[in-house]
Amino acid sequence: MSDLTELYQSVILDHNRRPRNKGEMADPDARADGKNPLCGDQITVWLKLDGDVVSDVKFVGAGCAISQASASLMTQAVKGKTRPEVLALFERVHAMVLGKTPAPEGPHGPLGSLAALSGVSRFPVRVKCASLAWHTLRAALENGATVTTE
Ligand code: ZN
């Protein structure tokens, strides 16, 4: 196992054990629910919007470590970003977990800690676990519908 793989695993475990921004939001501007029936992962995402900026984001969820760590990492990454920036980040993360990003970016690359999710590209069944939070976030930004990965 490479050092990078070990580092990524420790990031995932840390975010699963101590999720950031977890908890309900009292007065949200948008929300969406997401499910990954394949694994049993569930998540609800709440957003506070200040014009075009995601000024706050919270989630609650249950499921495997990848799904919950991904949600925690996501909330850290998108807070303070504009809607177009969040959607662009969604595309980058989605490409990364699908293995379409040519080289691992490393923890100091443009995706920062989100690079920890890159390992799932080798496990197709885990891709939906890692992308669930992102699909749910996009749904909250777009229309607040319930999304499912199936
Ligand atoms: Zn899962």
Side-chain angles (χ1 to χ4, degrees), residues 36 39 41 64 67 126 129:
N36 172 19
C39 181
D41 309 317
C64 69
S67 69
R126 288 290 179 199
C129 301

Side-chain angles (χ1 to χ4, degrees), residues 14-141:
D14 177 56
H15 276 263
N16 181 50
R17 253 187 244 126
R18 298 188 300 120
R20 319 306 199 262
N21 304 302
K22 189 166 184 179
E24 292 191 25
M25 189 184 285
D27 188 21
D29 294 313
R31 72 166 276 177
D33 300 298
K35 290 192 198 56
N36 172 19
L38 199 66
C39 181
D41 309 317
Q42 296 180 356
I43 182 172
T44 300
V45 172
W46 290 273
L47 298 176
K48 199 88 185 140
L49 298 166
D50 182 3
D52 215 24
V53 174
V54 175
S55 57
D56 198 12
V57 50
K58 297 197 82 155
F59 81 100
V60 296
C64 69
I66 299 275
S67 69
Q68 302 306 302
S70 176
S72 173
L73 284 160
M74 177 190 81
T75 59
Q76 280 195 319
V78 303
K79 205 186 274 195
K81 287 197 162 55
T82 65
R83 191 185 294 250
E85 285 170 344
V86 169
L87 294 175
L89 192 59
F90 170 94
E91 296 298 336
R92 286 192 76 136
V93 170
H94 203 223
M96 178 181 72
V97 297
L98 288 171
K100 290 179 180 163
T101 307
E105 302 201 37
H108 302 296
L111 286 175
S113 301
L114 292 170
L117 299 170
S118 61
V120 303
S121 65
R122 294 194 308 275
F123 307 98
V125 75
R126 288 290 179 199
V127 169
K128 288 176 177 178
C129 301
S131 57
L132 176 65
W134 294 85
H135 285 291
T136 309
L137 172 75
R138 188 170 65 172
L141 275 176

Side-chain angles (χ1 to χ4, degrees), residues 3-21:
D3 288 350
L4 201 54
T5 306
E6 265 177 60
L7 173 66
Y8 287 168
Q9 285 187 347
S10 70
V11 170
I12 300 277
L13 289 174
D14 177 56
H15 276 263
N16 181 50
R17 253 187 244 126
R18 298 188 300 120
R20 319 306 199 262
N21 304 302

